[in-house]
Amino acid sequence: MEILFVCLGNICRSPAAEAIMKKKLEDRWPLCADVQVDSAGIGSWHEGQLPDRRMRSHGARRGYDISSIARQVRPDDFARFDYIFGMDHENMADLRRLARTDAERAKVMCAADFMTRHPQYDTVPDPYYGGDGDFELALDLIEDACDGIIDRLFSVG
């Protein structure tokens, strides 16, 4: 199984989701080593860069290694990945526009749809222009979404 997380620039939310999902899978499902997790951005502005230093710092305090290198979504991502999770409504609209077929569009889901502990949020807001609290909130929401995704994709009941 291959999972892709997507946000606008691939320097805050999606690399955090990639790191969080990898850690949660490792901790909860050590036998799921064959699950591949990646992240990408709608735009190419930050391609080749590390994630935002604030997200790396906040994530490190929670035990996450948020260090993937930013890249842009590619057309072949829709064929490669089984699930593509957008972080907000704009990302979702962009992903659906980039998908070439109904089958590719069916792979696109909103990460927030899997949250159970934060029903007041229907997206993961972009913390880029915010402060520490915005980065902490984004991490809280992403952790919630990743738990929900794992419960849904790997439920054994």
Side-chain angles (χ1 to χ4, degrees):
M1 179 184 301
E2 295 195 38
I3 298 169
L4 180 66
F5 290 99
V6 178
C7 69
L8 187 59
N10 194 212
I11 59 166
C12 291
R13 297 168 293 170
S14 58
E18 175 186 351
I20 290 168
M21 180 60 86
K22 285 178 176 177
K23 176 107 171 71
K24 285 183 174 290
L25 284 171
E26 180 183 296
D27 291 349
R28 290 175 63 180
W29 297 93
L31 299 178
C32 289
D34 59 336
V35 177
Q36 300 298 310
V37 183
D38 197 3
S39 63
I42 296 296
S44 63
W45 314 283
H46 302 288
E47 203 156 13
Q49 297 177 13
L50 283 169
D52 184 284
R53 65 172 179 71
R54 298 166 295 173
M55 185 57 86
R56 287 183 290 156
S57 174
H58 284 274
R61 280 183 243 155
R62 296 184 187 208
Y64 302 119
D65 176 18
I66 304 174
S67 61
S68 60
I69 301 300
R71 71 174 185 87
Q72 186 174 20
V73 172
R74 298 182 295 258
D76 66 328
D77 287 335
F78 291 92
R80 175 183 166 198
F81 289 94
D82 300 296
Y83 300 96
I84 301 173
F85 295 100
M87 294 291 136
D88 62 35
H89 300 303
E90 186 177 335
N91 303 151
M92 296 294 296
D94 289 336
L95 286 166
R96 288 187 178 120
R97 194 169 38 259
L98 291 168
R100 296 164 294 203
T101 66
D102 288 341
E104 289 181 350
R105 277 185 283 285
K107 296 179 177 188
V108 176
M109 294 177 254
C110 186
D113 290 346
F114 293 82
M115 296 188 307
T116 60
R117 297 184 300 272
H118 299 88
Q120 68 275 34
Y121 288 93
D122 64 350
T123 67
V124 177
D126 191 347
Y128 186 76
Y129 292 106
D132 289 343
D134 298 293
F135 283 89
E136 290 296 322
L137 173 63
L139 289 169
D140 289 343
L141 298 176
I142 293 167
E143 287 174 338
D144 189 1
C146 286
D147 286 339
I149 291 167
I150 290 169
D151 289 345
R152 185 99 44 94
L153 296 183
F154 301 100
S155 64
V156 289

